[in-house]
Amino acid sequence: MPDALDLLARRRSTRIPDLASPAPDAQALATILTLAARVPDHGKLVPFRFIVFAGEASARAGVALEQVAATKTPDMSADQRAIERARFARSPMVIAVVSRAAPHPKIPVWEQELAGGVAAAHLCLAAQGLGYGTNWITEWYAYDEAAKSALGIAPQEKVVGFIHIGTALARAEDRPRPALADIVTYA
Ligand SMILES: Cc1cc2nc3c(=O)[nH]c(=O)nc-3n(C[C@H](O)[C@H](O)[C@H](O)COP(=O)(O)O)c2cc1C
């Protein structure tokens, strides 16, 4: 099977606890982001952007999320606080894929949002092609305005995903995939 098809056939997520250091280095990261940005894009609007979290930035993001969560749930337990604080530190790198889709005279917002989704998918594929593991999540902080603001995401922007990246310690068992008979018809 050609390499590209092999990559698609083997693509799958790695559990976040199994994503260890090292994260991609600067050169690998540049490759991943360059390939992620190379997507179909109606109108060439580039309706997405990336925010890279690693090291101190991940620690700061966790503290910020803990503060937002504690404001909403003042009686939060110490354990829950620790979970929120560790959100971005569970893997050595997190890349937020952010949709900048906005009303446009010709290009529907939906199509702009789809381009952001493709960018996130290609980001995962590029990272996996370089040998890294990935996990695409959203979680509550993708949909909470205070949390988004704390992470540097504007109110008019949407989180496509927080892509956790690292070196896979284990390969998760595959899950059942859709049967073509359930999803394909011939017009
Ligand atoms: C937009 C989007 C958001 C997701 N958010 C979460 C999430 O918050 N938590 C989670 O456990 N999985 C989430 N997932 C699912 C995982 O990324 C992953 O696809 C799945 O767990 C394993 O499937 P795979 O091995 O085919 O990649 C999300 C997937 C997508 C596409």
Side-chain angles (χ1 to χ4, degrees):
M1 193 182 282
D3 286 351
L5 294 189
D6 191 44
L7 179 65
L8 292 176
R10 288 185 299 106
R11 184 216 65 80
R12 77 146 310 177
S13 302
T14 301
R15 292 173 59 247
I16 293 177
D18 291 331
L19 292 173
S21 291
D25 62 16
Q27 193 184 353
L29 179 60
T31 299
I32 290 166
L33 295 174
T34 300
L35 296 180
R38 191 186 161 81
V39 292
D41 173 3
H42 192 179
K44 303 177 187 63
L45 301 174
V46 196
F48 51 80
R49 67 186 182 97
F50 308 114
I51 309 172
V52 180
F53 296 87
E56 279 301 308
S58 295
R60 280 197 303 274
V63 170
L65 290 183
E66 180 191 359
Q67 280 169 359
V68 172
T71 305
K72 292 174 190 302
T73 314
D75 59 348
M76 207 166 59
S77 70
D79 283 355
Q80 193 57 44
R81 275 179 170 272
I83 287 172
E84 300 303 346
R85 197 162 58 243
R87 289 280 187 191
F88 277 56
R90 293 181 292 165
S91 63
M93 180 175 281
V94 180
I95 302 179
V97 180
V98 177
S99 172
R100 309 194 284 188
H104 183 280
K106 291 207 177 116
I107 316 297
V109 167
W110 163 240
E111 296 187 8
Q112 298 176 48
E113 291 174 341
L114 289 174
V118 179
H122 284 199
L123 193 156
C124 293
L125 283 169
Q128 291 187 36
L130 286 175
Y132 296 95
T134 66
N135 200 309
W136 174 349
I137 61 168
T138 41
E139 300 290 347
W140 68 269
Y141 38 92
Y143 299 100
D144 183 280
E145 286 308 324
K148 281 172 59 192
S149 168
L151 297 172
I153 300 163
Q156 71 275 16
E157 295 181 317
K158 285 186 184 168
V159 174
V160 176
F162 296 107
I163 315 291
H164 286 252
I165 306 180
T167 299
L169 295 177
R171 192 165 165 74
E173 291 224 345
D174 204 5
R175 63 185 174 85
R177 300 296 170 177
L180 291 189
D182 293 338
I183 56 170
V184 181
T185 53
Y186 294 87

